Amino acid sequence: MADQQTASAGRASELAREQVVVDGLYSRLDELRERARSRLDEVRKSGPAGSPQNRSERDSFATLWEDRASQLDAVEDRLVFGRLDLREGASRADDATAAEGPVRYIGRLGLLDEAHRPLLTDWRAPAAEPFYRATTLEPAGVVRRRHLVTQGRRVTGVEDELLDLTAAEQGGFGAGSTLSGEGALLAALASRRTGRMRDIVATIQAEQDKIIRAPLAGALVVQGGPGTGKTAVALHRAAYLLYAHRKTLEKSGILLIGPSRAFLRFIDQVLPSLGETGVVSTTISELLPEISATGSEPDEVAEIKGRSVWSNIIRRAVAARERVPEHNIAFRLNGRELFIRRRDVRDAINKARRSGKPHNEARNIFVKEMLGRLADQYQKVLGKALDSEDRRLVIADLRELREVRVALNLAWFPLSPKRLVDDLYTKPHRLAQAAPELSSAERELLYREKFAPWTPADVPLLDEAAELLGADDSVARAEEHARAQAHEEALQYARDAILAGVGAGSQIPVNAEMLAARFADYGPTMTTAERASSDRTWTYGHIVVDEAQELSAMAWRMLLRRVPTRSMTIVGDVAQTSSGAGVRNWATALAPVLHDSWQLTELTVSYRTPAEVARAATRFAEAAGLPVSQLTAARDVPGSWQVIEAAPDAVVNVAAATALEEIQRYVESDGVGQVAIIAAPELADALDVAVAARLEQTLGTGETQRLLRPPDPQVSVLTPEAAKGLEFDAVVLVEPALIAAARPNKSALSAASDLYVAMTRPTQQLAIVHSLPLPPGFTEASS
């Protein structure tokens, strides 16, 4: 009893001591927040006065203080989460945010006091590495590693690991400590889901930290089974790279590619909470500005569109719009007969192609060459030489002749990517001409009505076309016309303003041109992320690709255009590939595009999936022939596997009843807790109705609407593909055999991957409701 009282008193003393430190750090955070907001207010109050340079500087300072304020706001939760007690004389990393002396606190960002002495070490700093990597075999100068557990700004617990026992005894460590070591990690894994991904910065494991801090150069492929933390590692790596290579990346930025908009909502708070906001997050289908890829299509069609052969198909389709007429074309200029000769067109086409410029840009060379040849012909027919001014006028007349414009357009047609690709789908003769590699049956599958919605698989083809076509000069002329019109409107507004008295009393004369220029110059400065997301040709310093196994060969080409340095973090699991155009082997997919500039690393510990569920999922995946990775579950959850057999006509109702039980067990009214019902698409509508009806009957209309409210419902009915990358406290899996069944637009291997994904979404409980026989791997777990 006395020992327990002593330990309890020691623990209370440790909590109180740490609370003092935490209070001081939050106080400093509040000071810095107030300073950032004050500076931002000062900049905003200064107004749009001064020279264009002054206005540009003002916008830059406003952006700087806005970013700083956002960064400081984002780290409120769990500002400090770790402490290192170091041996006296232990070597310190050369880092300005490493706390002085034998005690070093680790947190979400670095904090300095007014004298620029370190108070808190940024988790990304070299000085923080031992917090994640030190072990009893290699303590790296660390005597004790402490995890601080906080709720809001209050310290609720501490967990210690003694890594150097000799030094610990000498230093008197241990009183009041809890030496569980993995308690913080296990607590994080067992906590309820909220519909948003949480960072793992306080519990990063050594194998994860090694990947996070890997060099910037080259492509790093992170292969790992479900729940191994691939997404979390990728996001923390993005934050680390922005911290460690800011000068390299701040102007070009980082592009993050996710599998779906739901997935991006799931992760969207992680980077800000890690102190970074300058990342462009999008999906492949949203990567092209002004393209809305909302259509859908059978998997077999998407697989055809994903093949690398489309780079040649698109190239041929472009070349087909550069053609020599079948015969010479006669026309008259000023009463004299001239000819657009086939040989001239052929020579002009060859000259334009030799420039190496994209189709629409090279068209200017073609047109200029043809007009020059026609002017030479006119001069010869005229029988006398033309001076430069007369020649210019003749060329201008030629350019305006309808016959000439039509002939030159037919010979070298200006195109948009949408027009080119749409013509391939809607005009069978064009696809047959450009795609001899495809069978007639495959070409028939690609046919669609004109102006049908674009699908995600179309986006890489549109990007390929945009790369080969370049900017349409007619579009550029239209933009120039719009700019001229806007300038004229600004001038008129400025004249009206001057008449109304603007500038009266100023010692500097004001005219309409000056005032119009002022209006044009002033405006918000776009951030790197905003500029990048609106520019198709933007190139990034680094690209992070999550669920990368779903990318087709054409999607890889699309991404590689945007990262000429080939600096990438590629995370995925080839056993979870749902798309027929996706990756089943990293070397097969990446060697043709990245050659030898990539390396593969693996994550092997599943932190999300309960051991019983992970074992069953692995057995099923192996039986189905999936290339499953080694997977070791970090924890056992008693009762995590439940199998419920139902009559065929009762499956939907039994699933809804089971879902209600899981909701009552895991879902809270404060928004914490997530339950998903996952089933094949043909059952989704019926389950939607049944689950909503069961909830309304039991919980009432208001609570039902709250639980199902998009975009982040606490209860969801999903297909396996929609559940990809997400996690839930509990999952009700309905008719797994139906999910695993091959169908006309889904191969047996892809269908098996869908079921593997569905099985591995829960963190606490998987309940299986079925009437059909269970697939291999299920029965052993349920026995």
Side-chain angles (χ1 to χ4, degrees), residues 105-155:
Y105 283 90
I106 312 298
R108 295 179 175 278
L109 83 173
L111 291 179
L112 306 174
D113 64 14
E114 291 292 349
H116 296 282
R117 291 187 296 261
L119 299 174
L120 184 64
T121 299
D122 193 302
W123 69 273
R124 295 165 290 191
E129 284 189 39
F131 185 75
Y132 302 109
R133 297 198 188 183
T135 65
T136 53
L137 294 178
E138 296 184 19
V142 178
V143 179
R144 177 174 64 181
R145 172 169 48 212
R146 168 168 286 182
H147 293 266
L148 276 68
V149 183
T150 59
Q151 184 173 7
R153 296 190 172 194
R154 185 170 63 89
V155 181

Side-chain angles (χ1 to χ4, degrees), residues 517-532:
R518 168 73 164 277
F519 296 147
D521 285 340
Y522 179 65
T525 300
M526 294 177 70
T527 65
T528 296
E530 288 169 338
R531 296 199 313 274

Side-chain angles (χ1 to χ4, degrees), residues 569-596:
T569 301
I570 299 165
V571 300
D573 179 13
V574 290
Q576 297 185 59
T577 305
S578 177
S579 169
V583 178
R584 289 293 178 186
N585 179 282
W586 292 116
T588 302
L590 299 180
V593 289
L594 289 173
H595 307 295
D596 59 354

Side-chain angles (χ1 to χ4, degrees), residues 161-227:
E161 296 170 85
L162 297 183
L163 304 181
D164 187 331
L165 295 179
T166 301
E169 291 174 2
Q170 294 172 352
F173 292 112
S177 299
T178 59
L179 304 179
S180 60
E182 295 183 351
L185 172 62
L186 294 176
L189 297 178
S191 62
R192 301 285 175 88
R193 306 298 102 174
T194 64
R196 296 296 177 96
M197 185 177 185
R198 291 170 291 187
D199 65 77
I200 60 167
V201 64
T203 57
I204 291 171
Q205 302 301 294
E207 70 169 358
Q208 298 171 328
D209 188 69
K210 184 177 180 181
I211 294 170
I212 289 168
R213 299 176 192 269
L216 175 66
L220 179 64
V221 179
V222 183
Q223 161 69 32

Side-chain angles (χ1 to χ4, degrees), residues 568-715:
M568 305 177 76
T569 301
I570 299 165
V571 300
D573 179 13
V574 290
Q576 297 185 59
T577 305
S578 177
S579 169
V583 178
R584 289 293 178 186
N585 179 282
W586 292 116
T588 302
L590 299 180
V593 289
L594 289 173
H595 307 295
D596 59 354
S597 63
W598 65 284
Q599 59 176 316
L600 177 68
T601 187
E602 292 196 59
L603 293 171
T604 59
V605 178
S606 176
Y607 299 99
R608 175 180 66 219
T609 313
E612 190 175 10
V613 176
R615 287 192 295 268
T618 299
R619 284 196 303 270
F620 164 73
E622 290 174 344
L626 297 176
V628 63
S629 297
Q630 177 186 346
L631 194 66
T632 302
R635 64 203 174 100
D636 281 307
V637 179
S640 59
W641 177 272
Q642 181 184 15
V643 177
I644 303 166
E645 188 170 2
D649 59 352
V651 165
V652 169
N653 287 330
V654 172
T658 305
L660 178 62
E661 293 175 5
E662 303 296 346
I663 292 163
Q664 293 173 323
R665 183 179 304 165
Y666 292 106
V667 173
E668 305 291 344
S669 60
D670 60 359
V672 175
Q674 296 278 312
V675 171
I677 302 92
I678 303 180
E682 50 265 47
L683 290 180
D685 288 343
L687 284 165
D688 261 327
V689 173
V691 169
R694 181 75 62 155
L695 286 174
E696 189 160 357
Q697 179 183 359
T698 307
L699 304 178
T701 301
E703 181 65 2
T704 298
Q705 291 176 345
R706 188 190 69 78
L707 291 174
L708 300 175
R709 183 180 299 129
D712 298 310
Q714 286 185 263
V715 179

Side-chain angles (χ1 to χ4, degrees), residues 706-759:
R706 188 190 69 78
L707 291 174
L708 300 175
R709 183 180 299 129
D712 298 310
Q714 286 185 263
V715 179
S716 308
V717 176
L718 301 170
T719 64
E721 289 188 11
K724 188 175 290 291
L726 306 180
E727 59 183 35
F728 308 90
D729 294 284
V731 167
V732 179
L733 181 60
V734 185
E735 291 291 24
L738 201 57
I739 295 173
R743 42 182 73 84
N745 67 340
K746 179 76 72 171
S747 70
L749 208 58
S750 292
S753 290
D754 284 347
L755 181 52
Y756 184 52
V757 167
M759 293 178 72

Side-chain angles (χ1 to χ4, degrees), residues 108-338:
R108 295 179 175 278
L109 83 173
L111 291 179
L112 306 174
D113 64 14
E114 291 292 349
H116 296 282
R117 291 187 296 261
L119 299 174
L120 184 64
T121 299
D122 193 302
W123 69 273
R124 295 165 290 191
E129 284 189 39
F131 185 75
Y132 302 109
R133 297 198 188 183
T135 65
T136 53
L137 294 178
E138 296 184 19
V142 178
V143 179
R144 177 174 64 181
R145 172 169 48 212
R146 168 168 286 182
H147 293 266
L148 276 68
V149 183
T150 59
Q151 184 173 7
R153 296 190 172 194
R154 185 170 63 89
V155 181
T156 59
V158 294
E159 300 208 4
D160 293 339
E161 296 170 85
L162 297 183
L163 304 181
D164 187 331
L165 295 179
T166 301
E169 291 174 2
Q170 294 172 352
F173 292 112
S177 299
T178 59
L179 304 179
S180 60
E182 295 183 351
L185 172 62
L186 294 176
L189 297 178
S191 62
R192 301 285 175 88
R193 306 298 102 174
T194 64
R196 296 296 177 96
M197 185 177 185
R198 291 170 291 187
D199 65 77
I200 60 167
V201 64
T203 57
I204 291 171
Q205 302 301 294
E207 70 169 358
Q208 298 171 328
D209 188 69
K210 184 177 180 181
I211 294 170
I212 289 168
R213 299 176 192 269
L216 175 66
L220 179 64
V221 179
V222 183
Q223 161 69 32
T228 52
K230 299 182 297 297
T231 297
V233 166
L235 295 173
H236 286 70
R237 176 159 168 74
Y240 168 77
L241 291 176
L242 284 167
Y243 173 90
H245 303 278
R246 191 164 298 278
K247 288 185 178 179
T248 302
L249 297 174
E250 65 181 350
K251 292 184 178 179
S252 56
I254 289 180
L255 174 65
L256 169 64
I257 296 292
S260 67
R261 181 49 54 184
F263 173 84
L264 294 178
R265 283 197 303 272
F266 178 57
I267 67 170
D268 69 354
Q269 292 303 310
V270 175
L271 283 168
S273 74
L274 298 174
E276 296 297 346
T277 56
V279 175
V280 177
S281 300
T282 188
T283 64
I284 285 290
S285 61
E286 297 171 316
L287 192 52
L288 281 185
E290 301 179 3
I291 293 292
S292 177
T294 58
S296 61
E297 61 197 351
D299 191 60
E300 57 187 331
V301 176
E303 185 277 323
I304 296 170
K305 292 179 179 179
R307 297 175 190 173
S308 60
V309 71
W310 278 90
S311 62
N312 293 327
I313 294 172
I314 300 292
R315 188 175 298 278
R316 292 191 200 105
V318 171
R321 302 306 180 95
E322 306 161 2
R323 57 187 183 272
V324 178
E326 294 182 359
H327 51 76
N328 295 338
I329 300 171
F331 68 95
R332 304 187 74 82
L333 176 64
N334 298 331
R336 292 170 173 80
E337 187 175 45
L338 302 175

